[in-house]
Amino acid sequence: MSKPTFDMDAAIEALKAGKGLTGKDGILTPLIKQLTEAAMQAELEQHLENDEDSNRKNGSTPKIVKSAAGSFELNTPRDRAGTFEPQIVKKHQTHLTDELERKIIGLFALGTSYQDIRSHIEEIYGINVSNGTINAVTDKLLPELHAWRERELERIYPIVWLDAIHYKIKENGRFITKAVYTILGLTVEGKKELLGLYLSEHEGAHHWLTVLTDLHNRGVKDILIACVDGLKGFPEAIESIYPKTELQHCIIHQIRNSLKYVASKNQKAFMADLKCVYKAATLNAAETALDELDTKWGEKYPVVIKSWRNKWQTLSAYFKYPDYVRTAIYTTNAVEAVHRQFRKLTKTKGGFPNENSLLKLLYAGMLQASERWTHPVQNWNLTLSQLSIHFAGRLDDHIDL
């Protein structure tokens, strides 16, 4: 009995009737089955020609294969000696191509829930996939994530931003809050690069010493300016690993923290006076404005003024630079933009069953965010020229000026 062949006339009629090309009962599914089986038969015949021992065909074994065009039963040819190893569809392979896996990972990288991924695959391809399958597919990101976290980094980063975002992760049967510390660097070429993601229950000098030691071991020997949001223990840690790095506390974080202690009825007036401090043209003007802020509001809000006084050295570091450099370093907005991308991915997740489930999702989101980092930041050449003056000698081996 001859094998059934793809009926072109019937396919055309089905197409006219509006039947789909792919998916469940798709028009192309029989054709893909026919082409795949023909290719595997050709593989077997080639194998038999090259086999020095007496060997011959020995029927076929059916199995269900999933493809982007839909699921179908594939008859895999066998040989009598059992030495035939098909390459087009290998033994135990149940997906015809990696297209489905790419689709699953693509949906996962958008923050799509497992339930919605299952529904999407069912609707488009007519294939049922389990949560276990989706998890197994997305787990393939973990070796990539590990390699990415261990990769060698540039020797020097002119600017590095650091910030944290918090998530609930299940441990020992209960959910605990952990911080993911994101380190975003700016290369000598002015392009953003996410240097690492570090998970921790606690922040402090010991934790930051571990993070900075990791960066140093991966090749980062110098950082010119580190922009942080007042992270505990960070100044002490960076002093021990990168003693020549200049620290800039994020002005925006300092403002937000200050307003927590200012009565709502006074916030508008207080902010108008505070703006004269951080928007001042020079350091002297900023210090004069801070004195005036102290005179007017110090008695009412001593905690706020004391905070600005205590951190003034690192809050005011940006005043030594022109506007286009100040814009880059006075806030951690650059890394907060990465966190906004992360929040889009995780906004429907109440918590994560383990650390890997969180990290592989953030890694997928990082890959998407970094696709846009193909051009230098604005005014980078001017900024680099200024930095080469303020940090004399430290950029000489890395740029041509």
Side-chain angles (χ1 to χ4, degrees), residues 74 79 136 199-200 202 206 226 237 265 311 359:
L74 180 70
D79 65 325
L199 201 59
S200 175
H202 310 288
H206 184 268
K265 64 179 181 180
K311 298 177 183 176
L359 289 173

Side-chain angles (χ1 to χ4, degrees), residues 157-189:
Y157 287 87
I159 303 173
V160 168
W161 298 273
L162 304 99
D163 199 9
I165 186 169
H166 296 83
Y167 292 102
K168 292 187 178 299
I169 299 173
K170 196 170 187 178
E171 276 193 7
N172 301 320
R174 64 187 184 92
F175 284 96
I176 64 173
T177 299
K178 289 193 175 185
V180 176
Y181 293 98
T182 309
I183 302 182
L184 180 68
L186 204 60
T187 67
V188 174
E189 292 76 27

Side-chain angles (χ1 to χ4, degrees), residues 102 212 274:
R102 290 197 302 269
L212 294 166
L274 182 59

Side-chain angles (χ1 to χ4, degrees), residues 112-383:
T112 310
S113 68
Y114 278 20
Q115 180 179 347
D116 288 342
I117 291 175
R118 291 200 316 270
S119 299
H120 185 86
I121 297 298
E122 169 71 23
E123 180 181 353
I124 300 300
Y125 301 115
I127 296 173
N128 293 311
V129 292
S130 66
N131 283 356
T133 298
I134 297 172
N135 203 50
V137 169
T138 55
D139 274 352
K140 292 184 178 182
L141 290 170
L142 292 175
E144 291 183 27
L145 169 63
H146 179 74
W148 175 79
R149 295 177 79 182
E150 297 291 329
R151 77 195 189 283
E152 188 173 351
L153 298 173
E154 299 289 338
R155 184 174 179 81
I156 184 171
Y157 287 87
I159 303 173
V160 168
W161 298 273
L162 304 99
D163 199 9
I165 186 169
H166 296 83
Y167 292 102
K168 292 187 178 299
I169 299 173
K170 196 170 187 178
E171 276 193 7
N172 301 320
R174 64 187 184 92
F175 284 96
I176 64 173
T177 299
K178 289 193 175 185
V180 176
Y181 293 98
T182 309
I183 302 182
L184 180 68
L186 204 60
T187 67
V188 174
E189 292 76 27
K191 296 181 180 180
K192 296 176 184 176
E193 179 186 351
L194 198 58
L195 308 187
L197 297 172
Y198 298 87
L199 201 59
S200 175
E201 291 180 48
H202 310 288
E203 63 177 88
H206 184 268
H207 167 69
W208 281 113
L209 188 62
T210 301
V211 170
L212 294 166
T213 299
D214 179 69
L215 292 181
H216 193 273
N217 289 341
R218 290 165 57 202
V220 182
K221 304 308 178 187
D222 195 9
I223 298 171
L224 301 186
I225 304 172
C227 310
V228 298
D229 67 351
L231 298 165
K232 295 177 182 177
F234 184 79
E236 296 83 359
I238 202 164
E239 173 71 21
S240 65
I241 304 295
Y242 300 106
K244 295 191 293 183
T245 295
E246 182 177 281
L247 203 64
Q248 171 64 56
H249 270 112
C250 175
I251 295 296
I252 303 303
H253 277 84
Q254 179 69 11
I255 292 170
R256 290 175 189 161
N257 292 334
S258 298
L259 288 179
K260 293 176 184 177
Y261 300 95
V262 177
S264 56
K265 64 179 181 180
N266 293 327
Q267 285 187 359
K268 185 175 181 180
F270 183 87
M271 274 303 302
D273 294 332
L274 182 59
K275 189 175 182 178
C276 295
V277 177
Y278 66 86
K279 287 288 188 179
T282 65
L283 177 60
N284 286 338
E287 291 176 340
T288 299
L290 182 58
D291 290 338
E292 293 172 354
L293 186 77
D294 192 351
T295 300
K296 184 174 180 180
W297 299 99
E299 190 172 327
K300 188 181 289 287
Y301 303 117
V303 172
V304 176
I305 302 302
K306 183 179 179 181
S307 177
W308 281 82
R309 295 285 193 194
N310 289 343
K311 298 177 183 176
W312 185 244
Q313 182 177 354
T314 51
L315 283 170
S316 62
Y318 69 107
F319 281 112
K320 70 179 71 171
Y321 304 106
D323 287 344
Y324 50 84
V325 181
R326 295 185 190 186
T327 301
I329 66 173
Y330 86 103
T331 174
T332 56
N333 275 348
V335 70
E336 287 182 30
V338 177
H339 285 173
R340 284 194 292 273
Q341 176 72 19
F342 287 169
R343 289 189 182 95
K344 288 181 183 178
L345 301 180
T346 60
K347 63 183 178 182
T348 61
K349 313 288 192 299
F352 292 85
N354 51 59
E355 292 184 359
N356 279 342
S357 64
L358 168 63
L359 289 173
K360 69 182 180 182
L361 180 56
L362 298 185
Y363 175 67
M366 182 277 299
L367 291 177
Q368 282 210 326
S370 61
E371 287 178 358
R372 298 188 292 271
W373 300 340
T374 56
H375 300 291
V377 297
Q378 192 173 10
N379 295 316
W380 178 243
N381 287 336
L382 292 174
T383 299

Side-chain angles (χ1 to χ4, degrees), residues 98-119:
D98 62 356
E99 181 177 347
L100 283 176
E101 291 190 0
R102 290 197 302 269
K103 176 61 70 176
I104 288 172
I105 290 176
L107 291 168
F108 176 73
L110 294 173
T112 310
S113 68
Y114 278 20
Q115 180 179 347
D116 288 342
I117 291 175
R118 291 200 316 270
S119 299

